[in-house]
Amino acid sequence: MNDLRQPHEAEIIERVQETPSIYTLRLRFTDPAVHAAYRFAPGQFNMLYLYGVGEVPISIVSDPEDEHIVDHTIRAVGRVTDAMARLQVGERLGVRGPYGRGWPVEQAKGRDVVIVTGGLGCAPVVSVINYVLKRRDRYGKLTIMQGVKHADDLIWREQYEAWSQLPNTQVLLSASEGGPLWPWHVGHVPVLFDKAALDVANSTVMMCGPEGMMIAAGKGLLEQGIPAEDIYLSMERNMQCAVGKCGHCQMGGQFVCKDGPVFSWPEIVARLGIKGV
Amino acid sequence: MSSAVFLPHADSQRLFDLLHGAGYQTLAPQARNGAIQFAPLASAQGLPWGQHDEQRPGHYRLEQDHSPRAFAWANGPQALKPLLFAPQETLWQVERDAGGQMRFAAVAPPQQARAVIGVRPCDLAALKIHDAHFLGGARDGHYAARRQGLLLVAVNCSHPAETCFCAATGDGPAAAEHSGYDLLLDELDEGFILRAGSETGRALLGQLGLPAASAAQAQQAERQQQDARDIQQRGLPKDVSQGLQGQMDHPRWQQVAERCLACGNCTSVCPTCFCHSEREQPALDGVSSEHLREWDSCFTSGHSYLHGHLVRESGAQRYRQWLMHKLAWWPEQFGRIGCVGCGRCISWCPVGIDITAEAAALCQGEQA
Ligand SMILES: Cc1cc2nc3c(=O)[nH]c(=O)nc-3n(C[C@H](O)[C@H](O)[C@H](O)COP(=O)(O)OP(=O)(O)OC[C@H]3O[C@@H](n4cnc5c(N)ncnc54)[C@H](O)[C@@H]3O)c2cc1C
Ligand code: SF4
Ligand code: FES
């Protein structure tokens, strides 16, 4: 019996410390056949297993056409992710996946891509930003909007600055509380919409971050005239199985692990903003 | 409908022998620790002859009398759920050598053809839901292994409890023709009317060479089924799923939360609840670890835990999650409500919270 919940062994090929609490693990399955057969789409996630400790859902941030490596950028917040932070190059963990429905990168072809993220930065959108930048000719303008609570909370600041230098790419940042060296906007994400000059009929929006931020941003974008079905969000819920069986990730009748984590606005709006759903 | 035959009570053991002869282990209801429970049973003598159950909100009692019947009770706390979806089981294990290499290995449940005698129509309905959940989409290997070779000998209900409302959900008290049983019993005072519902059942029944049930016996069974339907008092509001939409802020959630202990009994006894969590159990040898799953409940805080906060902090939110999932959101997932009218959550709730009363109050809107 080959249970679909059984991980495969993978080796850490490279480890990058992004910030004091955020690290990236670059992985390769130790079984070459498993590695060769592994395919994923941006926005999908894996369950990473640390020996004797447990499993956590983590987005895949590498490029789906990079055949050599699977990258995960992880924030150390608790039991599993703290212990995983201590792993070094050459050490092994378990990986199963990919799971879920990723970003609508196909539907977005030929259109402008608008990324909205908030909080402490969000791994799922990093995958799609990199995906679009690598295939620049297939997409129109790329707009990246990020809101953070405090100016100091922005991670990957250099990365944002680098992105903002790219052609046909606009980066807009806002902090609800600015700071001395904060060159960007002050306020919540929606303050950015007027600055963005969105082509509302020709944009696909992809959002990820705290639910309150996504609700406010989604409403703001609808007001700007973006059709609801062109707005997508990546949701987060407790996940144990990742295959639609354990029940933990449910939002109403939706299973975030298999029906999501990426949902279109009309698919999920009835469940947004209701405390306890 | 296949032709019905008759087996006198005195010959009940022939049913067990037939199943043993065909290679099945037999599981059957027995009175144990004050409740009817399914457990391995080889002899018809061990059936709960003369047992009656008394059930009310927050109340379950067994009583013995002189009834000549083995199935003159409604249901115990278990349905088929624990037999197929184990309360705790190992999904896989891993060994790690000195060099840090890991070897993952599947842990399969024991393979044994089992026959369950005394399955109620509501249990069949719940089984259908669990089959859709565990076997549909990504197939659950552990459930599938236990499900394979499971033979179902169902029995129509003649003595529904006060808490039963299967007539209202359409899942009982008599099993519908394609509800999944292999054999179906109607119990009369002098014995059983048997009919087959599958090829396996037909072949088995043929081996018994029993006489056809008489017209009078068939009539008696039919009357008994009708009475079992008529006696039921509880029900769910009409179009309950629709009625619950828009009631997420109803004050009733807070009122029920003041009584609810968040103990999760209702989810344990519910035959359709499928939530479970996974857990790691490293062995003391330091070189191996087991990955387990065990039943979980939407009433626990861990169920909705996300780093830093709980999605469902309050008891009101958790009770609402349970009831809304069962009655309002389930149809989105499985094309029907997640309640089969067995009434177990009513009897086994220590404070006697009654899902039918809650649903009725909620569907009435907020004028209450
Ligand atoms: C689809 C998806 C993609 C994700 N992608 C990333 C990513 O790319 N990078 C990253 O750093 N984090 C990501 N997360 C969040 C990450 O899964 C949690 O931070 C992590 O599970 C915390 O585990 P812990 O044991 O270290 O923390 P603890 O607080 O000790 O949590 C204990 C357990 O609760 C569960 N749990 C806790 N928080 C979450 C959560 N937010 N989501 C799901 N289960 C949780 C897990 O089973 C966890 O092991 C993602 C979550 C989801 C649902
Ligand atoms: S409704 Fe009753 S059985 Fe269910 S959690 Fe509350 S107290 Fe326990
Ligand atoms: S994570 Fe188990 S059902 Fe979605």
Side-chain angles (χ1 to χ4, degrees), chain B residues 189-276:
Chain B
D189 276 348
E190 62 277 19
F192 301 106
I193 298 179
L194 270 92
R195 47 173 58 91
S198 71
E199 276 315 312
T200 314
R202 242 180 298 284
L204 284 168
L205 206 53
Q207 290 177 37
L208 281 181
L210 293 169
S214 71
Q217 286 169 332
Q219 228 171 35
Q220 213 182 321
E222 227 161 88
R223 199 168 330 115
Q224 179 169 289
Q225 289 175 14
Q226 190 54 48
D227 289 348
R229 204 165 279 122
D230 294 344
I231 203 174
Q232 295 188 15
Q233 302 292 318
R234 285 183 163 73
L236 289 170
K238 200 170 171 297
D239 299 325
V240 61
S241 306
Q242 204 49 43
L244 288 169
Q245 306 294 338
Q247 305 298 349
M248 295 291 282
D249 297 321
H250 199 294
R252 186 82 183 191
W253 301 118
Q254 194 47 49
Q255 291 158 12
V256 67
E258 276 157 23
R259 300 167 59 207
C260 175
L261 313 171
C263 64
N265 270 14
C266 48
T267 58
S268 301
V269 296
C270 177
T272 69
C273 274
F274 53 71
C275 282
H276 56 276

Side-chain angles (χ1 to χ4, degrees), chain B residues 122-135:
Chain B
C122 59
D123 298 339
L124 290 175
L127 176 69
K128 236 182 198 166
I129 291 174
H130 268 193
D131 281 353
H133 177 66
F134 286 107
L135 303 177

Side-chain angles (χ1 to χ4, degrees), chain B residues 64-107:
Chain B
Q64 175 90 45
D65 71 3
H66 299 293
S67 157
R69 298 187 180 214
F71 296 98
W73 42 270
N75 54 31
Q78 306 162 313
L80 293 166
K81 179 165 90 168
L83 301 177
L84 295 168
F85 168 38
Q88 185 192 74
E89 67 187 323
T90 303
L91 292 179
W92 44 265
Q93 59 187 21
V94 55
E95 281 177 32
R96 190 171 65 164
D97 66 18
Q101 287 198 28
M102 289 184 281
R103 230 174 308 279
F104 293 94
V107 177

Side-chain angles (χ1 to χ4, degrees), chain B:
Chain B
M1 171 128 353
S2 77
S3 50
V5 295
F6 188 75
L7 178 74
H9 274 140
D11 292 343
S12 307
Q13 185 60 33
R14 290 189 62 198
L15 178 61
F16 284 77
D17 294 343
L18 172 75
L19 297 167
H20 297 153
Y24 292 98
Q25 179 198 30
T26 44
L27 292 94
Q30 293 154 63
R32 284 192 172 181
N33 303 322
I36 301 277
Q37 297 181 31
F38 285 111
L41 180 69
S43 158
Q45 274 175 8
L47 289 171
W49 297 102
Q51 294 284 351
H52 283 291
D53 56 352
E54 187 190 69
Q55 302 195 44
R56 299 191 295 275
H59 179 92
Y60 179 99
R61 289 282 178 285
L62 278 185
E63 277 162 23
Q64 175 90 45
D65 71 3
H66 299 293
S67 157
R69 298 187 180 214
F71 296 98
W73 42 270
N75 54 31
Q78 306 162 313
L80 293 166
K81 179 165 90 168
L83 301 177
L84 295 168
F85 168 38
Q88 185 192 74
E89 67 187 323
T90 303
L91 292 179
W92 44 265
Q93 59 187 21
V94 55
E95 281 177 32
R96 190 171 65 164
D97 66 18
Q101 287 198 28
M102 289 184 281
R103 230 174 308 279
F104 293 94
V107 177
Q111 289 284 356
Q112 161 78 54
R114 297 178 297 175
V116 189
I117 298 170
V119 180
R120 296 300 187 178
C122 59
D123 298 339
L124 290 175
L127 176 69
K128 236 182 198 166
I129 291 174
H130 268 193
D131 281 353
H133 177 66
F134 286 107
L135 303 177
R139 187 179 149 90
D140 187 289
H142 286 74
Y143 182 92
R146 289 195 160 85
R147 180 72 174 90
Q148 203 172 22
L150 187 76
L151 187 102
L152 301 167
V153 182
V155 52
N156 284 332
C157 282
S158 50
H159 292 67
E162 194 209 295
T163 43
C164 291
F165 56 103
C166 58
T169 62
D171 298 305
E177 211 172 324
H178 296 291
S179 52
Y181 59 82
D182 295 285
L183 292 172
L184 176 63
L185 313 179
D186 275 287
E187 187 178 37
L188 308 177
D189 276 348
E190 62 277 19
F192 301 106
I193 298 179
L194 270 92
R195 47 173 58 91
S198 71
E199 276 315 312
T200 314
R202 242 180 298 284
L204 284 168
L205 206 53
Q207 290 177 37
L208 281 181
L210 293 169
S214 71
Q217 286 169 332
Q219 228 171 35
Q220 213 182 321
E222 227 161 88
R223 199 168 330 115
Q224 179 169 289
Q225 289 175 14
Q226 190 54 48
D227 289 348
R229 204 165 279 122
D230 294 344
I231 203 174
Q232 295 188 15
Q233 302 292 318
R234 285 183 163 73
L236 289 170
K238 200 170 171 297
D239 299 325
V240 61
S241 306
Q242 204 49 43
L244 288 169
Q245 306 294 338
Q247 305 298 349
M248 295 291 282
D249 297 321
H250 199 294
R252 186 82 183 191
W253 301 118
Q254 194 47 49
Q255 291 158 12
V256 67
E258 276 157 23
R259 300 167 59 207
C260 175
L261 313 171
C263 64
N265 270 14
C266 48
T267 58
S268 301
V269 296
C270 177
T272 69
C273 274
F274 53 71
C275 282
H276 56 276
S277 51
E278 299 188 14
R279 186 166 65 79
E280 195 66 14
Q281 192 167 279
L284 293 175
D285 62 12
V287 296
S288 70
S289 187
E290 292 198 11
H291 194 76
L292 314 178
R293 75 155 156 210
E294 48 203 17
W295 289 1
D296 197 0
S297 164
C298 51
F299 284 91
T300 67
S301 57
H303 192 278
S304 73
Y305 173 83
L306 282 181
H307 175 71
H309 76 288
L310 301 178
V311 174
R312 288 180 281 282
E313 277 168 5
S314 71
Q317 289 168 346
R318 294 182 200 165
Y319 186 86
R320 186 182 68 184
Q321 171 68 22
W322 183 68
L323 187 138
M324 288 297 288
H325 184 213
K326 281 287 118 137
L327 300 180
W329 298 331
W330 208 280
E332 248 180 82
Q333 302 173 334
F334 302 103
R336 61 156 295 166
I337 58 170
C339 175
V340 295
C342 71
R344 289 185 173 94
C345 59
I346 305 173
S347 301
W348 294 93
C349 174
V351 295
I353 293 170
D354 178 344
I355 187 172
T356 63
E358 296 312 311
L362 288 158
C363 285
Q364 268 178 16
E366 294 188 23
Q367 66 271 50

Side-chain angles (χ1 to χ4, degrees), chain A residues 238-249 255-258:
Chain A
N238 184 293
M239 289 187 183
Q240 303 284 303
C241 73
V243 290
K245 303 297 180 212
C246 76
H248 281 257
C249 69
F255 291 91
V256 173
C257 68
K258 72 177 167 82

